Amino acid sequence: MAGQVRIPATYMRGGTSKGVFFRLEDLPEAARVPGPARDKLFQRVIGSPDPYGAQIDGMGGATSSTSKCVIVSPSSQPDHDVDYLYGQVSIDTDFVDWSGNCGNLSTGAGAFAIHAGYVDANRAENGMCTVRIWQANINKTIIAHVPVANGEVQETGDFELDGVTFPAAEIVLEFVDPADDGEEGGSMFPTGNLVDELDVPEEIVPGGKLKATMITAGIPTIFVNAADIGFTGTELRETINNNPDTLRRFETLRTIGALKMGLIKSPEEAAKRQHTPKIAFVAPPTDYASSSGKIVKGEDIDLLVRALSMGKLHHAMMGTASVAIATAAAVPGTLVNQAAGGGEPQAVRFGHPSGTLRVGAEAKLVDGQWTVTKAIMSRSARILMEGHVRVPEGSF
């Protein structure tokens, strides 16, 4: 009878997500390179594909926020400390999506680099260790400012993050040049427009025309006005996720946007690219009750944003989508900017299902095209468990 393979691993929360972190050298040899063996290994670790949608036989938590794996290794790039590669494991279908980054687990990547021995915490200055991360999915630089004490990552603290129950130590992330300029150096607005008019089915919008802002900063994201699709922007997860017809319409809209952005060449490709692009809807600020019951006052936020991840409304906000929100808000004329009241804000506080988040971006107009130099936000990270994961022999 076949036994099980033991693989060193660390289970971490980063921001409002959590995942299984691996050092590259600890992986079985077949999984140290991209390919089917790595995908099958990560699926078995997480417990996918699971037709029950529960991931009972794995480390996943049956949500897009908890169905994730990460590989960290010494960096292959000059002036960087580590390479960080992220896999979004589909819950109920047979694939792992490598097309984008996870902004929340980027926080964990910075802390894990120190935990794993790739970065010496003693090089810290004033209690802060700067970790330069190469995000290998999208070939971008992320700078994590990780607090340290007594030669170790400081994980406990009083920083509160809506969507996370307990406070922890604050980690500041800088996403450097986060726009995806494409192979030929295109605009971070891939159509060249701040607002496009999409042709959509009548069931989505009567008349078949829908305004959208499509941007590639942080992660490719399609923004639409909540009111245009029959929502208020105050919706919680149950309102969206318990309605299969609503989810189907959002996926149709996401596919239309992905085609317009040039991310896919045929509608069929969208099924194998669930992680990107994201679809989000925005609205001007108003009072609402968050998922914890806390009242968020409209006067305390600049706009409302709800976003879907892997086909479901996210319980809070993805970190990469937060970069897209900050960037789009900083560019006058986008739907996000209009929902936030216009102007050229360098930072916005937006309301999401679990509460609020403040994000900032530095955007400027260069030779007629908008560019973003960096986006900044605060998150936290904590090790939940460390040791070994086990998978059956022959499963990868």
Side-chain angles (χ1 to χ4, degrees):
M1 294 179 62
Q4 292 209 90
V5 180
R6 297 170 73 247
I7 306 169
T10 301
Y11 196 45
M12 288 192 74
R13 176 186 65 78
T16 54
S17 293
K18 56 186 177 180
V20 184
F21 282 65
F22 298 92
R23 300 195 313 171
L24 178 64
E25 61 266 33
D26 290 335
L27 291 173
E29 186 173 355
R32 292 177 193 170
V33 294
R38 176 180 287 178
D39 288 3
K40 293 298 182 186
L41 171 62
F42 283 5
Q43 287 177 305
R44 199 66 173 91
V45 166
I46 292 297
S48 291
D50 183 1
Y52 300 105
Q55 293 179 326
I56 293 299
D57 197 22
M59 299 293 293
T63 69
S64 67
S65 302
T66 57
S67 190
K68 303 168 183 275
C69 287
V70 167
I71 301 172
V72 179
S73 60
S75 186
S76 59
Q77 305 295 317
D79 301 321
H80 290 74
D81 296 303
V82 291
D83 288 352
Y84 151 51
L85 186 67
Y86 161 68
Q88 177 74 55
V89 181
S90 178
I91 296 170
D92 55 1
T93 55
D94 184 14
F95 77 97
V96 179
D97 196 330
W98 300 96
S99 65
N101 178 32
C102 174
N104 279 300
L105 291 190
S106 300
T107 316
F112 183 76
I114 300 173
H115 289 305
Y118 295 139
V119 174
D120 186 354
N122 291 316
R123 79 180 193 189
E125 296 181 4
N126 301 317
M128 197 68 63
C129 186
T130 298
V131 181
R132 292 184 63 86
I133 302 165
W134 180 253
Q135 213 304 317
N137 299 78
I138 58 174
N139 297 330
K140 292 290 182 179
T141 298
I142 302 170
I143 301 174
H145 301 279
V146 183
V148 297
N150 302 317
E152 296 182 348
V153 174
Q154 175 67 40
E155 295 183 295
T156 58
D158 57 7
F159 173 72
E160 295 185 356
L161 178 63
D162 285 343
V164 177
T165 305
F166 305 107
E170 180 181 11
I171 296 175
V172 177
L173 292 180
E174 296 181 51
F175 295 83
V176 179
D177 185 26
D180 181 4
D181 298 326
E183 295 180 358
E184 297 180 2
S187 168
M188 68 181 179
F189 296 97
T191 67
N193 303 317
L194 302 182
V195 179
D196 284 278
E197 190 172 70
L198 301 179
D199 293 317
V200 301
E202 290 272 348
E203 66 171 348
I204 295 179
V205 177
K209 300 291 184 181
L210 179 65
K211 291 181 179 179
T213 288
M214 295 177 286
I215 191 170
T216 60
I219 200 165
T221 307
I222 304 157
F223 291 103
V224 299
N225 287 323
D228 291 347
I229 54 174
F231 294 110
T232 64
T234 62
E235 287 77 13
L236 302 183
R237 279 194 294 178
E238 295 74 18
T239 304
I240 305 297
N241 295 344
N242 291 346
N243 191 322
D245 285 341
T246 296
L247 294 176
R248 179 180 53 79
R249 288 194 292 271
F250 271 118
E251 182 60 17
T252 298
L253 178 55
R254 193 183 75 90
T255 300
I256 293 169
L259 287 165
K260 188 81 170 180
M261 296 173 81
L263 298 174
I264 58 176
K265 295 180 180 179
S266 69
E268 292 74 24
E269 291 182 45
K272 290 293 185 181
R273 192 183 173 117
Q274 290 186 354
H275 182 54
T276 57
K278 302 300 186 188
I279 180 80
F281 51 103
V282 299
T286 191
D287 298 354
Y288 71 97
S290 72
S291 55
S292 69
K294 181 177 71 174
I295 300 300
V296 177
K297 289 288 191 180
E299 63 193 38
D300 295 332
I301 55 177
D302 300 297
L303 76 160
L304 298 165
V305 191
R306 301 294 189 265
L308 282 79
S309 177
M310 300 295 286
K312 296 290 182 70
L313 189 74
H314 197 273
H315 70 100
M317 184 56 62
M318 303 79 78
T320 47
S322 299
V323 172
I325 292 165
T327 304
V331 177
T334 69
L335 297 185
V336 181
N337 175 268
Q338 292 172 26
E344 296 185 32
Q346 292 190 343
V348 292
R349 183 177 294 278
F350 63 87
H352 56 73
S354 293
T356 68
L357 181 66
R358 186 179 187 274
V359 291
E362 297 179 1
K364 57 185 178 181
L365 193 62
V366 178
D367 297 329
Q369 289 191 335
W370 283 97
T371 64
V372 58
T373 54
K374 66 179 176 179
I376 301 174
M377 63 180 169
S378 291
R379 288 300 213 234
S380 60
R382 187 173 74 85
I383 289 179
L384 304 177
M385 184 181 293
E386 55 190 341
H388 295 80
V389 293
R390 297 194 182 206
V391 295
E393 291 178 351
S395 61
F396 62 92

